[in-house]
Amino acid sequence: MLVISNNACSDDFFEKNPLDAVSDATFWKSESDAKLALVGCYNNGGAWSGEDFWTPRGIIYLDFMAGLGSEKELIPDRFTNGTLDPSYWAVEAYWDNSYRKIVTCNNFLSHIDDIVMDSKTKAMMKSEIRTIRAYQYFNLAFFFSDVPFFTKVLTIDEANSIARTPKIDIMNFVETELSESYVNLPSTRPTTEDGRITSGAALAILGRVQMANKKWDAAAVTYKKIIDSQTYTLNPSYKTMFNVQNEINKEFILTSQYKEDVYAHVLPQYLYPEAFGGWHQFSPYNELVKQFQCTDGLSIEDSPLYDSSNPYNNRDPRLDYTIMISDRTVFQGKTFVSRPDSNSPDRITRYNWSGYSINKFIDPSYTGNLMNYGGNWSIIRYAEVLLSYLESKLEAGETINQVLLDETINKIRSRADVNMPAVTTTNIVELRNKIRTEREVEFAFEGLHYYDILRWGIAAEKLNRQFTGMKLTNDPANYTAFDVDKDGYLIYQKRNFVKGTNELWPIPQAERNVNTKLTQNTGYPN
């Protein structure tokens, strides 16, 4: 810069637009520009991106926070094991990635009206982006409570001095945005536009918001709109629903889109056991395994079909579809083995493992690079709508009859490859418990359980306890190789959820270092 002539230091020099990047000053000219910018609002990073509410890793982490299992490096575990603090990088990552998307959406909405284009197309695009932004703000408010709120692109000074907006105001904004947006969105999209927000997606997010805020009557109305649209149906097979060849189906309402060799993700590398080329990154807890009923529809505590010596027999088929069990699960012609007395690379003595691995999402038809997977990731599916509608009706105090049960929870349980007995009870307490159990097993590792136990107010009960792993012996009284409980299951990990504090995440310390107006949530270092 020292050799630039005096002529180069004119005002014109400093006003030139960048030559190596798109700028707002030269962009927003045509409908094609709007489409490019719209795609940018959907961008979640691909590849190794995570720690947000759109990507596979970021979403699956939420269920490990919720006590469905453990992660090899304990990254999500730290949110609920009593060690969470404001300096934890993963908390900051969820915060940063959420606000990065909000800023992108705000920028889109601040420029789209400058483009001359078809008014209906423009209204649809704006509603898409308003929905994406609303989804971000909902999750921020749900997990952090009061957070900085803005609907325009801020200057640096504004961003570094903005205070926290009350949670209730953000939730009200989100409800309004979604209620106004869904009417401008199409109910379906052509295959070439799979993944773009539809009216059903906006309504499904709205339903989550209303349930989180215990607006049961409103939530029931919202979910009924989705059902009455007759746009969605349950996929006939639970086992194959998440395989790449079924990534476009009428059960998926909202998905993150990926494409092999172009915009892939790496979750299979995390999921696959080491014997199959993966990292065996995740270890389900036995407490989740116990939630799967016996084939007679009764819990393992109540069913005469349950055999404590052979605990995985006679169980809801979704158990085998969801969990890899040592010496039982066969994948691509090979048996998964994790017994400590084996030579398997997945034996529990090799790492801090529970002995279980995740079977759900692993596609036996896929033989490619585990770090180059193009399968889409489901964020919301129709089964959630059906169960949420039933729960909303129940909690709203409405009368529940067999017809409603058959149109909701029993539809899910009667998939051809699940075929579990119908739920018949209409007792409020019994049905509430059945709905909660059904949600836990049906949506295991899909990121919903943390949302559920927080809004149900039972996070401390579920997370402040000892967790166990695989069954190691049928003679626990005389077994000494590993610590086991009274039923012979590996004593694995203990969570120490701090009631009254860990229900919310801390405001990242890095943000408070640059913005002194950001207060801290109760119970965290101030």
Side-chain angles (χ1 to χ4, degrees):
M1 290 295 292
L2 293 177
V3 300
I4 296 176
S5 67
N6 288 336
N7 290 335
C9 295
S10 66
D11 289 341
D12 181 65
F13 174 82
F14 289 105
E15 289 176 359
K16 287 185 183 292
N17 292 307
L19 301 179
D20 61 346
V22 175
S23 72
D24 284 330
T26 60
F27 190 63
W28 304 96
K29 303 298 183 183
S30 65
E31 184 173 334
S32 61
D33 290 342
K35 289 179 179 178
L36 285 172
L38 182 138
V39 171
C41 293
Y42 281 91
N43 180 18
N44 302 311
W48 298 94
S49 299
E51 290 77 53
D52 65 15
F53 304 105
W54 295 90
T55 58
R57 190 176 76 220
I59 290 175
I60 202 171
Y61 272 7
L62 296 175
D63 269 2
F64 293 110
M65 297 175 199
L68 295 191
S70 179
E71 189 267 340
K72 207 172 183 180
E73 310 299 335
L74 306 182
I75 292 170
D77 303 37
R78 283 193 57 187
F79 280 76
T80 55
N81 70 1
T83 66
L84 186 62
D85 66 73
S87 298
Y88 188 39
W89 68 266
V91 173
E92 185 178 352
Y94 278 97
W95 175 286
D96 287 351
N97 289 329
S98 294
Y99 277 113
R100 185 173 293 112
K101 188 172 284 290
I102 286 170
V103 169
T104 303
C105 291
N106 283 346
N107 191 57
F108 179 95
L109 293 169
S110 68
H111 287 96
I112 184 65
D113 284 331
D114 297 337
I115 296 178
V116 177
M117 58 185 291
D118 177 73
S119 59
K120 288 186 177 181
T121 302
K122 181 183 291 188
M124 179 188 67
M125 287 184 171
K126 290 169 71 172
S127 292
E128 281 180 76
I129 303 310
R130 289 171 69 186
T131 299
I132 292 173
R133 182 177 64 180
Y135 177 73
Q136 292 300 138
Y137 269 128
F138 164 64
N139 282 294
L140 283 168
F142 185 80
F143 289 107
F144 290 99
S145 189
D146 304 351
V147 293
F149 171 76
F150 50 95
T151 57
K152 65 174 186 177
V153 178
L154 304 179
T155 65
I156 292 177
D157 288 341
E158 288 172 332
N160 289 343
S161 60
I162 190 171
R164 298 170 69 183
T165 294
K167 174 182 177 179
I168 188 171
D169 294 339
I170 297 173
M171 290 295 191
N172 288 338
F173 168 82
V174 168
E175 277 200 63
T176 299
E177 286 287 279
L178 295 170
S179 297
E180 292 179 356
S181 294
Y182 89 88
V183 296
N184 296 315
L185 293 166
S187 59
T188 61
R189 299 266 191 185
T191 302
T192 54
E193 294 182 3
D194 185 55
R196 286 182 65 177
I197 301 290
T198 59
S199 58
L203 286 169
I205 296 170
L206 176 60
R208 281 193 188 180
V209 176
Q210 291 166 332
M211 290 181 73
N213 293 301
K214 303 189 185 307
K215 296 183 177 182
W216 303 113
D217 289 311
V221 171
T222 295
Y223 285 120
K224 189 64 161 60
K225 289 177 181 177
I226 302 174
I227 295 169
D228 287 347
S229 74
Q230 299 183 13
T231 302
Y232 305 99
T233 59
L234 295 177
N235 198 63
S237 171
Y238 187 90
K239 180 180 182 180
T240 64
M241 177 164 44
F242 303 100
N243 291 356
V244 68
Q245 64 264 33
N246 292 325
E247 65 179 0
I248 299 177
N249 70 69
K250 289 189 175 182
E251 180 157 348
F252 293 162
I253 296 176
L254 180 62
T255 58
S256 288
Q257 300 287 297
Y258 297 93
K259 186 174 178 61
E260 189 173 0
D261 296 327
V262 177
Y263 190 79
H265 67 84
V266 300
L267 190 67
Q269 185 65 46
Y270 287 78
L271 288 169
Y272 278 51
E274 290 201 357
F276 300 89
W279 290 340
H280 192 158
Q281 198 75 14
F282 306 129
S283 288
Y285 287 147
N286 191 54
E287 283 60 36
L288 169 62
V289 173
K290 290 179 179 179
Q291 290 293 87
F292 290 85
Q293 299 169 341
C294 290
T295 53
D296 57 6
L298 298 177
S299 69
I300 61 173
E301 291 82 11
D302 298 327
S303 175
L305 297 179
Y306 181 69
D307 178 0
S308 61
S309 298
N310 298 284
Y312 310 115
N313 292 343
N314 304 318
R315 303 288 290 278
D316 182 335
R318 288 174 293 186
L319 171 58
D320 282 316
Y321 302 154
T322 303
I323 308 290
M324 279 193 166
I325 300 169
S326 182
D327 299 284
R328 177 181 177 92
T329 303
V330 178
F331 178 70
Q332 293 181 335
K334 184 190 301 184
T335 302
F336 169 69
V337 178
S338 59
R339 282 181 288 103
D341 60 350
S342 72
N343 292 321
S344 169
D346 296 293
R347 62 190 182 277
I348 62 172
T349 52
R350 283 200 65 236
Y351 209 90
N352 181 30
W353 286 323
S354 70
Y356 298 120
S357 191
I358 294 179
N359 199 23
K360 196 174 186 177
F361 315 122
I362 293 181
D363 186 347
S365 69
Y366 183 69
T367 57
N369 187 335
L370 300 184
M371 301 185 197
N372 185 30
Y373 188 61
N376 298 337
W377 179 263
S378 172
I379 299 173
I380 302 176
R381 53 189 177 90
Y382 190 52
E384 179 188 340
V385 170
L386 296 180
L387 285 176
S388 295
Y389 178 59
L390 176 60
E391 181 181 347
S392 297
K393 298 276 279 186
L394 177 72
E395 300 299 347
E398 296 191 28
T399 301
I400 307 299
N401 56 34
Q402 193 62 45
V403 173
L404 179 59
L405 293 175
D406 290 343
E407 288 298 312
T408 54
I409 189 170
N410 290 334
K411 270 192 174 181
I412 295 167
R413 293 169 66 84
S414 64
R415 292 182 206 261
D417 60 357
V418 174
N419 195 29
M420 288 292 289
V423 171
T424 58
T425 182
T426 56
N427 175 277
I428 293 175
V429 175
E430 291 178 359
L431 183 54
R432 179 182 290 125
N433 289 335
K434 286 186 179 296
I435 291 170
R436 292 183 177 186
T437 299
E438 191 71 19
R439 290 179 71 94
E440 184 171 355
V441 301
E442 172 74 15
F443 304 122
F445 310 119
E446 294 180 52
L448 265 183
H449 195 53
Y450 198 20
Y451 159 81
D452 280 344
I453 63 174
L454 285 172
R455 66 184 179 82
W456 291 334
I458 60 172
E461 171 191 336
K462 288 287 188 179
L463 289 167
N464 195 1
R465 59 172 169 164
Q466 177 70 55
F467 288 93
T468 56
M470 70 181 291
K471 190 174 184 69
L472 291 176
T473 180
N474 285 321
D475 185 19
N478 298 302
Y479 183 80
T480 58
F482 294 89
D483 290 336
V484 295
D485 68 7
K486 63 181 181 60
D487 298 314
Y489 292 92
L490 172 70
I491 294 179
Y492 185 39
Q493 293 176 341
K494 193 175 190 306
R495 294 281 177 103
N496 297 289
F497 185 90
V498 182
K499 187 174 183 179
T501 296
N502 290 152
E503 288 85 355
L504 294 175
W505 296 348
I507 304 301
Q509 189 58 46
E511 296 296 319
R512 300 187 69 223
N513 289 343
V514 296
N515 183 355
T516 58
K517 289 189 177 180
L518 293 181
T519 56
Q520 186 55 273
N521 284 328
T522 301
Y524 294 104
N526 206 9

